C-alpha cells in the first residue's frame, strides 16, 4: 500500500528526519571500522528476508569503486547505456538534497510515490524479523538493499552500482557475479577506515573483483597498481588499464561533466560499457547502423558522454535570485552576477583537481553568455537547473567588462586535514594565475546522519552554534595568505567574532591589498549561518551592477548540497 508523506509517523518521515536511531543503533561508531566490520555478518540476511539474492545477478551489474571519479564514471556509464536503448538503474551516494537522488531509473530520480512504496515494503519486511541478535541494518546498508529492491522490481536491463566506502566490506559488495567491474582513480581518503597507505586502500578497493570477471582501471600510482594486479592475478581477473578518452574522438561534442580529469573517467566508462555490451551479446547491435571503424566511438556513446549528469561535481550554477524582482519576474541588468562553482572535493587529490577545474572555468567565464540579457538567456539558465551544467553555443566574442571577485566558501569535516587541503587548493589555483579575493568559512546545515528530501526544512536557528572549527579554518587560511609562521593567530586574535556580517566593502577588496594590522586580518570571515551567507552575497551583487562574484564552494559534499538547496529555493 502506498503511503504519502503526510501519513508517515513523525519519527519515520524521510523528509527532514534523522533515521539514525532507527537504522543505525550505534551511530557514533558509524564512521569507523566497527560499523564496516559489523556489516559482514548480516548483509546477506537482509537480502534473504527480501527474497533478493537470486534476483541480483539478473540485474547485469556494472560495479565501480575508487577514491575519486567513481561517481562520474557511473554517471557516464548510465547515460551511455541509456542512449543505447537500455532501461538503466543507477545507485550512487551521497545525495545532496533529496535521498531519492541515490536511485535513478532511466536517468531520472525515482518518483516520490515509488520511493515511498519500496521504502515501506523493505522497512516492514525487515522490521518483522528484528531480534536482539538481528537489528535493523545500518543506514547505508538499508539504502543499498533498497536500491536492489527498486531495480529488481523496476526490471532494469542494467544496474550501475557505485561503491560507498572501500570495496571489500562495503555493503554493495554482496554482488557475486557482476558483468564487469571498474576501479577509478585511487588516492588517500577515509584513511581511518581503509588504511594510511595507498597499497592498503587499493587492497580494499580491489575487493570488488570477482573470479574471472573482467575488470578495468585507469592509470594509478605504482603502489596502488601493483596491488590491483596482484589481486587480479589471485582471482584470474582479466584486468585492463585504459587510457583517458581522446578528445578528438568526440566529433566536436563536449563532455557534459566539466574538467580535464573527466576524460579519464569517460575513458573508463567507455571501456566498461563496451565490455558490458559484448558480454551481454549487444555490441554488434549497437554497431549495426554505423561505421565499424575501431577508432570510432559509437554514436550512442557520444550522446551519453554529452548527456551524463552528476550534481555537485564541477558544477556551475548562476544564481537567479540576485537578478529577480520576484520569483517569476526578471529584472533588467541592474545588478551584478553571482556565480557558484560547486565541487565536493574533500581529499588532497580531488582538491587539486577541483582547483584546476575552477581556474580553467573562471578564465573561460568571459566567454559565457551575459546573464539575463534576453528571454533566450533565461531559458539557458532554466536548462542549467535541469542538467546541472552550462551548455551554450552563443557567440563568445563579446567580453564582459564586469569586475570579477573570486571567493572561497569552505567547510570540511573534522576528520579531514585542512592543513593539506587548503594549501593544495591555494597553490594549484595560483599556479594557474587564479587568486581568491576572500574566503568565507561556514558550518554546514546538514549532517552525515540525516536522510532528507528536497522539501526538508532549512534550519533557522543559529544560536549557540559552535564555530570553533570554522575559526580554526580561518586561522589556517590567514597563515597561508600572509605567510605567517608559527601560531601567531592565537585565541586572543580578533578572529573569534561572527556576531555580524562583513561590510559590503569586504567583498570588493583583494586579499593582496589586505595586510595584518593590530591583530586584525581582513582576508577572510566566519559567518555563523549558510543562509545568511547566501543572502549577504546576493545583497552585494544587487548593490553593484559592475560586480561579478565567482564563488567556489568546496571541501564537503554536505556544504555543496546545502548551497544547491538554498539556491533552488
Amino acid at each position: 500500500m502506498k503511503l504519502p508523506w503526510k501519513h508517515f509517523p513523525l519519527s519515520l518521515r524521510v523528509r527532514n528526519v534523522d533515521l539514525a536511531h532507527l537504522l543505525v543503533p550505534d551511530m557514533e561508531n558509524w564512521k569507523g571500522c566497527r560499523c564496516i566490520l559489523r556489516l559482514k555478518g548480516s548483509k546477506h540476511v537482509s537480502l534473504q528476508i527480501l527474497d533478493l539474492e537470486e534476483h541480483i545477478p539478473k540485474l547485469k551489474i556494472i560495479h565501480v569503486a575508487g577514491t575519486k571519479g567513481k561517481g562520474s564514471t557511473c554517471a557516464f556509464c548510465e547515460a551511455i547505456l541509456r542512449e543505447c536503448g537500455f532501461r538503466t538503474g543507477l545507485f550512487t551516494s551521497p545525495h545532496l538534497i533529496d535521498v531519492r537522488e541515490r536511485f535513478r531509473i532511466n536517468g531520472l530520480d525515482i518518483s516520490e510515490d515509488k520511493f515511498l512504496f519500496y521504502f515501506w515494503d523493505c522497512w516492514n519486511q525487515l522490521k518483522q524479523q528484528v531480534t536482539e541478535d538481528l537489528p535493523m541494518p545500518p543506514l547505508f546498508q538499508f539504502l543499498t538493499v533498497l536500491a536492489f529492491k527498486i531495480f529488481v522490481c523496476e526490471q532494469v536491463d542494467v544496474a550501475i552500482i557505485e561503491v560507498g566506502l572501500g570495496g571489500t566490506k562495503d555493503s554493495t559488495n554482496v554482488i557475486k557475479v557482476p558483468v564487469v567491474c571498474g576501479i577509478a582513480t585511487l588516492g588517500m581518503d577515509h584513511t581511518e577506515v581503509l588504511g594510511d597507505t595507498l597499497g592498503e586502500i587499493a587492497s580494499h578497493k580491489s575487493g570488488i573483483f570477482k573470479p574471472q570477471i573482467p575488470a578495468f582501471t585507469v592509470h594509478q600510482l605504482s603502489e596502488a597498481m601493483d596491488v590491483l594486479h596482484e589481486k587480479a592475478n589471485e582471482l584470474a581477473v582479466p584486468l585492463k588499464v585504459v587510457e583517458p578518452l581522446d578528445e578528438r574522438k568526440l566529433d566536436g561534442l563536449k563532455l557534459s561533466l566539466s574538467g580535464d580529469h573527466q576524460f579519464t573517467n569517460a575513458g573508463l566508462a567507455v571501456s566498461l560499457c563496451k565490455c558490458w555490451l559484448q558480454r551481454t551479446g549487444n555490441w554488434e547491435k549497437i554497431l549495426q547502423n554505423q561505421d565499424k571503424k575501431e577508432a570510432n566511438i559509437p554514436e550512442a556513446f557520444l550522446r551519453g558522454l554529452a548527456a551524463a549528469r552528476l550534481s555537485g561535481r564541477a558544477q556551475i550554477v548562476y544564481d537567479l535570485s540576485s537578478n529577480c524582482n520576484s520569483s517569476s519576474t526578471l529584472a533588467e541588468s541592474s545588478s551584478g552576477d553571482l556565480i557558484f562553482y560547486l565541487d565536493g572535493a574533500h581529499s588532497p587529490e580531488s582538491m587539486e583537481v577541483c582547483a584546476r577545474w575552477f581556474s580553467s572555468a573562471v578564465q573561460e567565464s568571459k566567454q559565457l553568455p551575459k546573464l539575463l540579457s534576453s528571454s533566450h538567456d533565461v531559458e539557458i539558465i532554466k536548462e542549467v537547473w535541469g542538467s546541472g551544467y552550462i551548455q551554450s553555443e552563443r557567440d563568445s566574442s563579446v567580453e564582459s567588462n564586469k569586475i570579477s571577485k573570486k571567493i572561497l566558501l569552505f567547510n570540511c569535516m573534522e576528520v579531514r586535514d585542512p592543513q593539506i587541503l587548503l594549501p593544495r587548493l591555494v597553490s594549484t589555483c595560483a599556479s594557474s594565475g587564479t587568486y581568491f579575493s576572500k574566503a568565507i568559512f561556514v558550518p554546514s546545515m546538514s549532517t552525515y546522519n540525516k536522510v532528507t528530501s528536497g522539501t526538508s526544512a532549512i534550519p533557522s536557528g543559529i544560536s549557540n552554534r559552535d564555530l570553533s572549527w570554522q575559526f580554526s579554518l580561518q586561522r589556517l587560511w590567514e597563515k597561508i595568505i600572509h605567510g605567517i609562521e608559527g601560531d601567531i593567530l592565537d585565541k586572543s586574535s580578533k578572529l573569534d567574532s561572527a556576531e555580524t556580517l562583513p561590510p559590503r566593502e569586504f567583498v570588493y577588496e583583494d586579499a593582496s591589498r589586505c595586510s595584518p594590522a593590530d591583530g586584525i586580518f581582513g582576508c577572510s570571515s566566519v559567518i555563523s549561518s549558510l543562509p545568511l551567507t547566501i543572502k549577504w552575497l546576493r545583497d552585494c551583487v544587487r548593490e553593484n551592477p559592475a560586480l561579478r562574484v565567482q564563488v567556489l564552494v568546496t571541501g564537503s559534499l554536505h556544504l555543496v548540497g546545502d548551497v544547491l538547496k538554498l539556491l533552488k529555493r
Side-chain angles (χ1 to χ4, degrees):
M1 180 179 68
K2 295 183 180 180
L3 291 174
W5 290 110
K6 64 181 180 180
H7 289 158
F8 268 49
L10 182 60
S11 62
L12 293 180
R13 285 183 194 162
V14 185
R15 285 186 173 189
N16 192 36
V17 64
D18 182 353
L19 289 182
H21 66 288
L22 297 169
L23 300 178
V24 189
D26 190 9
M27 196 65 191
E28 291 303 314
N29 293 328
W30 195 48
K31 293 185 290 182
C33 264
R34 280 174 286 181
C35 170
I36 301 297
L37 294 173
R38 67 184 290 220
L39 299 183
K40 185 175 181 181
S42 62
K43 60 184 178 183
H44 294 287
V45 176
S46 297
L47 298 178
Q48 292 170 357
I49 293 172
L50 298 174
D51 191 27
L52 290 174
E53 274 195 314
E54 65 182 62
H55 296 286
I56 289 179
K58 300 175 184 178
L59 293 175
K60 299 178 182 177
I61 290 171
I62 297 176
H63 200 191
V64 182
T67 304
K68 60 181 187 288
K70 63 182 184 293
S72 298
T73 299
C74 288
F76 279 131
C77 286
E78 187 280 328
I80 289 172
L81 293 178
R82 176 161 40 87
E83 290 293 338
C84 288
F86 297 97
R87 181 170 173 80
T88 59
L90 175 64
F91 177 62
T92 59
S93 61
H95 65 274
L96 299 183
I97 299 176
D98 194 306
V99 68
R100 294 182 295 112
E101 296 167 26
R102 296 175 183 244
F103 316 92
R104 281 197 220 163
I105 305 293
N106 260 1
L108 299 175
D109 298 347
I110 188 171
S111 69
E112 186 176 284
D113 285 346
K114 284 187 176 181
F115 174 79
L116 291 173
F117 176 80
Y118 292 126
F119 174 92
W120 276 115
D121 189 22
C122 289
W123 178 275
N124 290 331
Q125 289 187 62
L126 293 174
K127 193 69 174 176
Q128 290 172 5
Q129 302 295 324
V130 166
T131 65
E132 185 175 344
D133 296 325
L134 183 64
M136 288 294 285
L139 177 58
F140 184 73
Q141 184 184 340
F142 178 84
L143 296 177
T144 302
V145 172
L146 179 59
F148 291 134
K149 176 71 173 181
I150 290 170
F151 297 153
V152 167
C153 292
E154 290 294 314
Q155 298 181 320
V156 300
D157 299 314
V158 55
I160 300 96
I161 306 294
E162 178 190 359
V163 168
L165 177 62
T168 302
K169 296 172 182 174
D170 185 73
S171 62
T172 66
N173 206 26
V174 296
I175 302 166
K176 296 178 180 178
V177 188
V179 174
V180 62
C181 296
I183 306 287
T185 304
L186 299 178
M188 301 300 292
D189 197 17
H190 298 294
T191 54
E192 74 281 4
V193 175
L194 304 179
D196 55 8
T197 70
L198 201 54
E200 290 176 316
I201 291 173
S203 179
H204 276 280
K205 305 291 184 179
S206 63
I208 69 169
F209 289 169
K210 300 299 183 294
Q212 302 180 358
I213 299 296
F216 294 84
T217 189
V218 300
H219 287 282
Q220 311 280 2
L221 293 176
S222 59
E223 183 181 357
M225 190 64 79
D226 290 345
V227 173
L228 295 183
H229 280 301
E230 181 181 350
K231 183 70 172 180
N233 290 334
E234 289 177 5
L235 298 174
V237 169
L239 176 64
K240 295 184 180 180
V241 180
V242 301
E243 300 293 330
L245 185 67
D246 187 342
E247 187 175 5
R248 292 171 295 183
K249 293 184 178 181
L250 292 176
D251 292 343
L253 291 175
K254 291 184 179 181
L255 295 180
S256 58
L257 306 185
S258 302
D260 291 342
H261 61 289
Q262 294 294 357
F263 288 99
T264 297
N265 301 326
L268 179 57
V270 166
S271 294
L272 290 170
C273 290
K274 181 178 179 180
C275 181
W276 186 91
L277 288 165
Q278 290 172 334
R279 298 198 73 216
T280 57
N282 291 289
W283 178 243
E284 292 300 323
K285 298 176 185 177
I286 300 301
L287 296 181
Q288 279 179 354
N289 299 320
Q290 72 169 57
D291 187 348
K292 293 188 179 182
K293 290 182 181 179
E294 188 174 343
N296 289 346
I297 298 177
E299 294 175 4
F301 279 46
L302 295 177
R303 293 195 302 270
L305 292 170
R309 65 181 180 87
L310 189 66
S311 294
R313 284 80 163 178
Q315 182 178 4
I316 302 174
V317 175
Y318 284 100
D319 181 48
L320 297 181
S321 296
S322 58
N323 287 276
C324 293
N325 288 327
S326 68
S327 60
S328 60
T329 305
L330 294 171
E332 296 298 325
S333 298
S334 58
S335 67
D337 295 342
L338 180 56
I339 310 169
F340 289 88
Y341 299 78
L342 303 111
D343 191 275
H346 51 266
S347 70
E349 295 85 0
S350 61
M351 190 60 70
E352 187 171 329
V353 169
C354 168
R356 289 199 299 267
W357 161 72
F358 176 68
S359 297
S360 175
V362 296
Q363 288 168 11
E364 294 175 358
S365 63
K366 291 182 180 180
Q367 298 179 358
L368 294 175
K370 181 176 173 59
L371 286 180
L372 305 174
S373 59
S374 70
S375 59
H376 174 69
D377 291 328
V378 175
E379 293 305 313
I380 290 177
I381 302 303
K382 289 180 179 177
E383 289 177 10
V384 170
W385 281 122
S387 66
Y389 301 89
I390 292 177
Q391 301 287 342
S392 175
E393 301 298 329
R394 295 200 63 206
D395 182 12
S396 60
S397 60
V398 180
E399 291 190 353
S400 170
N401 58 1
K402 294 199 174 189
I403 301 170
S404 295
K405 298 294 181 181
K406 299 166 188 63
I407 293 179
L408 173 65
L409 184 59
F410 187 90
N411 191 37
C412 66
M413 295 177 67
E414 295 188 34
V415 295
R416 309 296 176 192
D417 189 352
Q419 297 188 66
I420 297 177
L421 298 182
L422 286 174
R424 184 76 63 94
L425 173 66
V426 172
S427 62
T428 305
C429 283
S431 67
S432 301
T434 300
Y435 301 92
F436 293 98
S437 299
K438 297 293 166 66
I440 298 175
F441 301 97
V442 295
S444 300
M445 298 186 303
S446 59
T447 58
Y448 72 94
N449 60 347
K450 293 280 186 177
V451 176
T452 57
S453 82
T455 54
S456 297
I458 294 175
S460 57
I462 59 173
S463 60
N464 301 320
R465 173 166 286 179
D466 181 7
L467 299 174
S468 57
W469 176 246
Q470 282 68 42
F471 283 118
S472 67
L473 294 174
Q474 184 188 25
R475 288 189 180 86
L476 175 60
W477 177 263
E478 294 287 346
K479 290 178 184 180
I480 294 169
I481 297 301
H482 295 296
I484 299 173
E485 298 295 335
D487 194 20
I488 295 177
L489 297 174
D490 58 20
K491 292 292 184 181
S492 64
S493 121
K494 298 181 180 179
L495 290 177
D496 291 314
S497 175
E499 295 178 359
T500 58
L501 291 169
R504 300 283 191 270
E505 293 74 21
F506 174 84
V507 75
Y508 307 143
E509 298 175 354
D510 289 332
S512 59
R513 295 184 180 179
C514 69
S515 59
D518 300 324
I520 299 176
F521 295 80
C523 295
S524 59
S525 179
V526 170
I527 299 181
S528 59
S529 160
L530 186 56
L532 283 178
T533 303
I534 301 299
K535 181 180 183 303
W536 178 79
L537 288 168
R538 287 169 168 168
D539 289 342
C540 287
V541 298
R542 281 195 187 104
E543 294 180 6
N544 191 337
L547 186 64
R548 168 177 287 145
V549 176
Q550 297 167 308
V551 184
L552 173 62
V553 184
T554 191
S556 165
L557 277 168
H558 296 302
L559 178 65
V560 167
D562 291 339
V563 170
L564 283 171
K565 189 173 186 178
L566 288 166
L567 295 181
K568 288 189 176 185
R569 290 294 174 91

